[in-house]
Amino acid sequence: MGGTWTGVRERVLALRDAPRWWAVFGADYPGYGHDFELLPVLTEEQLHAVERRLGAGLPEEYRTFLLEVGAGGAGPDYGLFPIKPPEPGAPPGTGHCALPFRPGLTAELDEHEYAEPRHADHPDDEAFAAAYAAWDARHDELYDALTEGTLCVSSQGCAYYSLLVVTGPERGTMWEDVRAAGEGVAPVELRGRTGHVTFAEWYLNWLDRAERRAWDETTEPPPRLQFATRQEDAP
């Protein structure tokens, strides 16, 4: 009986031999490109050790991906971050994933930023400095709390990241960390679909698009940047 990830590892690894593998964004870039490689899968024991350190169980689609496809490597954008079992004596986790994810904090942060203290509204420098210090401290709290209850699974580049919600009502769905653009966190959207996107939908949508692009020899290919990340490409 097949499951969500049946044949997926083989499909991903086959893209290493596709004629235009390099045309897929994130595959061919020095230091970041994933080259359509996948790490070995985790064992159940290793996965349990990861979850104990995180302080939360991982969503089922992601758990089974780690057990059946790979513990990191090829994936959307610059690929999936590696998931490694903690070494003996490793310090305890931060508990970040165990906290509830609160998507409403993005709107709260926006409101807080609009309320930034103005010098003209205070009687003197000391009063303004005190008000600004309190505002700034609360800003840092809200900013850091935006990603609580999530696991950062992938980099989009330019300090944008993809997040998997681990805890709370949105558990198992994918969100974007776009704080670098001043936009907080936002749900991942896929063209032609509505509603929240799960990890499997996000990953399989990427794989379908990657296969179409990498194997397509009927259209003019995009220009290739000569990164030569593979040994066979090196001079």
Side-chain angles (χ1 to χ4, degrees):
M1 181 174 65
T4 300
W5 304 115
T6 300
V8 169
R9 183 177 175 90
E10 292 76 15
R11 288 170 61 188
V12 172
L13 296 180
L15 286 168
R16 295 175 297 181
D17 298 321
R20 295 183 184 167
W21 68 271
W22 46 267
V24 177
F25 176 80
D28 184 32
Y29 195 84
Y32 294 96
H34 54 70
D35 285 341
F36 291 107
E37 298 288 351
L38 287 167
L39 294 175
V41 299
L42 297 181
T43 66
E44 280 282 1
E45 182 179 358
Q46 290 172 326
L47 184 50
H48 285 312
V50 169
E51 291 176 318
R52 284 194 298 270
R53 188 167 190 275
L54 293 175
L58 294 170
E60 187 62 19
E61 289 180 349
Y62 186 58
R63 284 190 98 259
T64 52
F65 181 92
L66 298 174
L67 292 169
E68 299 175 26
V69 181
D77 302 309
Y78 289 106
L80 300 180
F81 291 135
I83 295 294
K84 300 178 180 179
E87 297 289 340
T94 63
H96 181 88
C97 288
L99 298 170
F101 175 60
R102 295 173 288 168
L105 288 181
T106 290
E108 186 174 343
L109 179 59
D110 287 342
E111 293 177 2
H112 184 73
E113 288 178 340
Y114 281 122
E116 182 177 351
R118 300 185 306 166
H119 196 284
D121 295 333
H122 297 82
D124 52 44
D125 290 347
E126 184 176 352
F128 171 70
Y132 194 89
W135 176 89
D136 194 43
R138 179 56 178 161
H139 183 277
D140 288 347
E141 290 175 0
L142 289 170
Y143 186 89
D144 292 341
L146 286 179
T147 60
E148 289 175 349
T150 70
L151 181 68
C152 185
V153 297
S154 179
S155 171
Q156 302 175 23
C158 299
Y160 296 174
Y161 298 93
S162 297
L163 308 174
L164 171 64
V165 178
V166 174
T167 309
E170 308 295 343
R171 174 179 165 86
T173 61
M174 296 298 301
W175 291 65
E176 295 182 311
D177 178 355
V178 286
R179 291 178 294 176
E183 298 177 7
V185 296
V188 166
E189 297 179 358
L190 298 181
R191 183 178 299 177
R193 302 190 190 185
T194 59
H196 289 314
V197 176
T198 70
F199 176 81
E201 291 171 335
W202 175 72
Y203 191 89
L204 293 175
N205 176 74
W206 164 80
L207 180 55
D208 288 342
R209 290 187 294 107
E211 288 176 324
R212 288 196 297 270
R213 186 155 200 177
W215 291 105
D216 178 22
E217 293 186 276
T218 65
T219 60
E220 186 68 21
R224 183 181 184 185
L225 298 177
Q226 298 301 314
F227 293 137
T229 58
R230 291 187 174 183
Q231 187 63 41
E232 63 265 28
D233 293 334

